[in-house]
Amino acid sequence: MAEYVNMDTLRFQLYQVHDMPQLFQYARYAEYDKDAVDIFLDSIKDFSDQDLYPSFREMDEAPAHFKDGKIVVHPAVGEAMKKGGELGVIGASYDMQAGGLQLPGMAFHAAYYIMEAANNNIPGYLGLTAGAAHLIIAFGNEWLNETFVGKMLGGQWGGTMCLTEPQAGSSLSDITTTAYPQEDGTYRIKGQKIFISGGDHEHNDNFVHLVLARIEGAPAGTKGISLFVVPKKRPEAGNLVPNDVITAGDYQKMGQKGYCTTHLVFGENEGSTGWLVGEPHKGLKYMFQMMNEARIAVGRGAVSIASAAYHASLQYAQERPQGRRLKNDGTKDVSEEQTLIINHPDVRRMLLLQKAIYEGALSVVNQTALYHDLEMVSEGEDHEKYYLLLELLTPIAKTYPSEKCREAVDNGLQVLGGYGFCTDFVLQQYLRDIRIMSIYEGTTGIQSQDLLGRKVTMQKGKALEYLAAEVQKDMEAALTYDELKPYAGMLGQKLQLVQKVLGKLMPYAMKGQYERYLSDATLFMQMMSTVVVGWQWLKMATAAKQALVTGDDTYTTAFYESKVHTLKFFYKYELAKVDSLAQILMDEAVLTILEEKELIC
Amino acid sequence: MAEYVNMDTLRFQLYQVHDMPQLFQYARYAEYDKDAVDIFLDSIKDFSDQDLYPSFREMDEAPAHFKDGKIVVHPAVGEAMKKGGELGVIGASYDMQAGGLQLPGMAFHAAYYIMEAANNNIPGYLGLTAGAAHLIIAFGNEWLNETFVGKMLGGQWGGTMCLTEPQAGSSLSDITTTAYPQEDGTYRIKGQKIFISGGDHEHNDNFVHLVLARIEGAPAGTKGISLFVVPKKRPEAGNLVPNDVITAGDYQKMGQKGYCTTHLVFGENEGSTGWLVGEPHKGLKYMFQMMNEARIAVGRGAVSIASAAYHASLQYAQERPQGRRLKNDGTKDVSEEQTLIINHPDVRRMLLLQKAIYEGALSVVNQTALYHDLEMVSEGEDHEKYYLLLELLTPIAKTYPSEKCREAVDNGLQVLGGYGFCTDFVLQQYLRDIRIMSIYEGTTGIQSQDLLGRKVTMQKGKALEYLAAEVQKDMEAALTYDELKPYAGMLGQKLQLVQKVLGKLMPYAMKGQYERYLSDATLFMQMMSTVVVGWQWLKMATAAKQALVTGDDTYTTAFYESKVHTLKFFYKYELAKVDSLAQILMDEAVLTILEEKELIC
């Protein structure tokens, strides 16, 4: 089996870079220590090797599909739900009281990272079930919890999130699925939902759909949206009876072909019963808990694919001889044996680019997960701080991996040359699979508007202030090491550049030119997320330097040195792009806002 | 039928930007005028509408494949070869004496551009046949010409180029296919060739393979390579008899699934007869004629796909309502009707980005084709000048479209959101198809080494001097218009920056540090090609301005204004990136050259 994930790098990040053990001092995580988390992750790695990786190519070759009113998926999905439930991974981070393992979110994400690198078609089934269960745990009443959560965390029942409708797309204001109140306190749900991932198949006994709908007569817009549990089969007198949730079809896709995407119709015939979650009209607010989790999960999924693609292309580059190194005079000696392609600088550049991007992106995901965990256990001002940091980093943790890990995978494919394009090699599958990530759970455009339009401005920029303080702290730690000083300096400059760009953009918002303020939000995302990953690389290099200086032999010297080397690579080849992005963002030309003239022909 | 190509934009470039009519003054093209070329292009557009476009999706859904020792392709391939032959498009630019139409290469490329935008699976069959025939025309003896060329240009026989071998890949020094001299002056050919596009199918009576091989005892390396015609069936006493060219299998790919990729085995059994083309040991030099043509063709193919993808995403954006425009205070009024997504700045940005890239890339292809044509008809110093400009632009015309048009198509897919990922929509097919372009005919890495390692340095930088003079001339023309002055100024600065970067890099070559000199060649390609496309946009905007000022009503005012607008977009969003690329290229850190330490883990 090919390597798809570097467990050393994962553990280095969890323990040495992000200091997960700091969490064990809090009561919530007091039952755990590093060894316990390691055992959990080892069990997940075994599970991934045995139950996820082997079906990865098969699921692409024989896609999930709609047939005779049902969705047919690979049997490995059923197996994985069952074993995942047994391993506790579905609800790994939820309260023990609710049936979870109460592990830190960092460990939960690490587990899914391993699973998704093995086979990105399957963990979505588990992850959405987890997210749906979490909504019930957080906002549902006791009956909902008792009826649904156990079966979901155990993997017997699947869960989904049902937001999108054909006429609304990303514009949730426009959803029309309607909930009609019934005398018994339940609702009759009527409407259609599209693009429902993991929405149906024969390997789970039931599906628990978390559905956004409007209670009849509710106000327009997002303020009139409520959240309902609408199971495929509803419990009635101790039995499960069909609940008029019809699978009307599916979507065939260019990638993630084993992860079914369904079209569901609720209440078209005898009626679908739905149970309100929490209070009426607060559905979108609740759903945002799941969406925020799902956004981090999408970013993490993208990193997983880039990790697997990196290892596949690295292995190829280490085994494939082709051509010769250039001699000093620029010629090649054809009588020499061919060299391995990893020895060609351009191939090495493509490998280091992948490594710089995917490990950097992984570190952002871990950082975000850590803030989530710290928010869970902290109080007062600290709680506020971690909440704001989590809010600020969430769109970045979703978008940087979605966009840049695609570029990484693309470079991985390129390393293989013509073979990369052929279905005999796996790289093309990774490239097709990862393409959805910048669309799932709010496109890059939407995430970027969220970052610049909401997160940067929330509480008068307080989130950004906290972030700057975090970066400052890590810059100071880096200054301990001479080799890192120049990089800390560069990072400081780029951070100032972000502030300068914001200083240029903010007046547009203040003058009421909101479209202009946000028109280049996607470029602001590119700029800011690059700086954030630059920060992560400084942290990683600092941790590596510290290990080298103190003689920490958890990993090899080459391992630690490669982290410092990749920091340098990231700063030379990636962080430098921030300057041009700043230039574009500060350019006053207005070229993308609707005018009377039609300039697109 | 969806629009896949904008004929106005194509004609604007051919006639108003690049002044194709200047060619009609030369004897070679004296039989043509603009009307005649227009009639030719119209016939190609009709052919593309009727015979190419309709099978585009089908060819993806039912890929070409190997079965029972044969390659099965869509019947449209056979039809297209036949009709393409009748229309004269296969040999459109070759001498009338050889059976061609003797049209300018610009018209030839324009025709293939239209065909490839309609269905990028098919024109390769015609184009490789054209290229193979051209090798025989240029270097083959009379018998080869009489025996093969007519059938090829008529579309009855297919043609291929056979370079790659399993153990050699891009390293042609290492090919081992061997040619054994026979007493009758022919050769017995023995060896295997892989990745042979259009290598076999049942819709052509014969295939004429142009094969690189070593005559027994030839020197090692590329200097021992000769070129042979090795037909699938050889003419013998007025009949065609099997020539022991066995189709051993095919390659299934992530895209261009209708364009078969074959594995051919020569002379494994009773023997393959080959005919030497030209002189022994000069095969690679000859093949470079075809490769250089093929490189421009690959760039053009990438532009074609981006053109089709742009129009598909533009149509979607003009028809799909979703969300609302932001009001001045940053809120949205949900009681308003939804707006079309083209009115969202980020969507508009993605559309303009596609337009800026694909039209800019098309202009580079046309510019390169023009230099080819001028080289054909000019003499003395002019001939030298156009030869050098052609040599310099060829790797750029191949690479900029291969890389950046992929980015354009990726943005096209993004415009459709979730639908873009679904096979019901065509964007995902374009994205899969275009992925091969940066690998075909020398990867981006190889093209970049060619640009920086050979083309920039050839004749002490004379090609670059000629290019600078061409740009200077066009900058001066742009200065006529106040609106364009700032852009001419910016272009001048970026051109100076290219010189500054070269001033920084050249000493590495002079000091014999060749690996270091070329280690960031791919980034130099990114930088220089962006400047070249910036030059093309200045040319296009100048032509548009001229039309607006003189009241030229060949096209609408909006059409011309959109060209000026897109120039501005390109300069703001794309040309600005040159600064960061220059910064990276001038960074002295050495991070991608093999060292004793292994820094990739």
Side-chain angles (χ1 to χ4, degrees), chain A residues 108-109 116 292-302 397-398 437:
Chain A
F108 170 86
H109 284 292
E116 278 159 349
N292 281 327
E293 288 168 0
R295 285 173 176 182
I296 300 167
V298 170
R300 183 197 68 217
K398 196 268 169 182
M437 298 299 175

Side-chain angles (χ1 to χ4, degrees), chain A residues 6 166-171 173-174 194-195 220-221 251-256 310 314 320-330 334 338 342-343 345-346 348-349 351-352 355 406 410 413-414 417-419 421-424 428 431-433 435-436 438-439 443-445 494 512-516 518-520 522-523 558-559 561-562 565 568-569 572-573 576-580 583-584 587 589 591-595 597-601, chain B residues 6 166-171 173-174 194-195 220-221 251-256 310 314 320-330 334 338 342-343 345-346 348-349 351-352 355 406 410 413-414 417-419 421-423 428 431-433 435-436 438-439 443-445 494 512-516 518-520 522-523 558-559 561-562 565 568-569 572-573 576-580 583-584 587 589 591-595 597-601:
Chain A
N6 185 328
Q167 77 294 343
S170 301
S171 177
S173 313
D174 295 293
I194 61 170
F195 292 152
Y251 297 86
Q252 289 297 311
K253 302 159 301 182
M254 69 180 283
Q256 287 210 323
Y310 169 68
L314 176 61
R320 167 76 177 174
Q322 195 176 298
R324 284 145 197 95
R325 291 185 65 186
L326 283 175
K327 292 195 298 181
N328 289 348
D329 63 356
V334 295
Q338 298 203 70
I342 193 172
N343 298 332
D346 198 53
R348 192 164 282 257
R349 183 187 61 77
L351 292 168
L352 280 163
K355 182 176 162 74
R406 184 162 81 235
D410 195 78
L413 189 153
Q414 189 75 10
Y419 290 115
F421 192 64
C422 294
T423 56
D424 280 347
Q428 49 79 35
L431 187 62
R432 288 184 289 104
D433 287 348
R435 183 58 189 85
I436 188 59
S438 62
I439 296 170
T443 62
T444 293
K494 303 305 178 193
Q513 296 176 19
Y514 249 83
E515 273 197 331
R516 176 64 186 89
L518 291 177
S519 61
D520 287 332
T522 300
L523 284 102
F559 175 90
E561 284 177 346
S562 87
H565 189 81
K568 293 177 184 173
F569 184 92
K572 172 172 174 176
Y573 290 93
K577 294 180 183 169
V578 163
D579 293 7
S580 282
Q583 189 181 321
I584 298 168
D587 189 320
L591 301 167
T592 55
I593 293 177
L594 181 64
E595 296 172 88
K597 286 185 198 169
E598 182 45 73
L599 295 175
I600 300 182
C601 307
Chain B
N6 185 327
Q167 78 294 344
S170 301
S171 177
S173 314
D174 295 293
I194 60 169
F195 292 152
Y251 298 86
Q252 290 297 312
K253 301 159 301 183
M254 69 180 284
Q256 287 211 322
Y310 169 67
L314 176 61
R320 167 75 177 175
Q322 195 176 297
R324 283 146 197 94
R325 292 184 64 187
L326 283 175
K327 293 195 297 180
N328 289 348
D329 62 356
V334 295
Q338 296 203 69
I342 195 174
N343 298 331
D346 198 53
R348 190 164 284 256
R349 183 187 61 75
L351 291 167
L352 280 163
K355 183 176 161 73
R406 183 163 81 235
D410 194 77
L413 188 154
Q414 190 75 8
Y419 290 115
F421 193 63
C422 294
T423 56
Q428 49 78 35
L431 187 62
R432 288 183 291 105
D433 287 348
R435 183 59 189 83
I436 188 58
S438 62
I439 296 169
T443 61
T444 292
K494 304 303 177 195
Q513 297 177 17
Y514 249 84
E515 275 198 328
R516 176 62 186 88
L518 291 177
S519 61
D520 287 332
T522 300
L523 285 102
F559 176 90
E561 284 176 344
S562 86
H565 189 80
K568 293 177 183 174
F569 183 93
K572 172 172 175 177
Y573 290 92
K577 294 179 182 169
V578 163
D579 292 7
S580 282
Q583 188 182 319
I584 298 169
D587 189 320
L591 301 167
T592 57
I593 294 178
L594 181 64
E595 297 172 87
K597 285 184 198 169
E598 182 46 73
L599 297 175
I600 300 182
C601 306

Side-chain angles (χ1 to χ4, degrees), chain A residues 168-187:
Chain A
S170 301
S171 177
L172 294 175
S173 313
D174 295 293
I175 67 170
T176 59
T177 294
T178 307
Y180 301 92
Q182 305 297 300
E183 289 191 354
D184 64 356
T186 66
Y187 292 79

Side-chain angles (χ1 to χ4, degrees), chain B residues 497-498 501 523-531 578 581-582 585:
Chain B
L497 207 47
V498 172
V501 165
L523 285 102
F524 180 77
M525 170 64 88
Q526 289 171 12
M527 181 192 187
M528 181 156 169
S529 63
T530 305
V531 174
V578 163
L581 289 168
L585 283 156

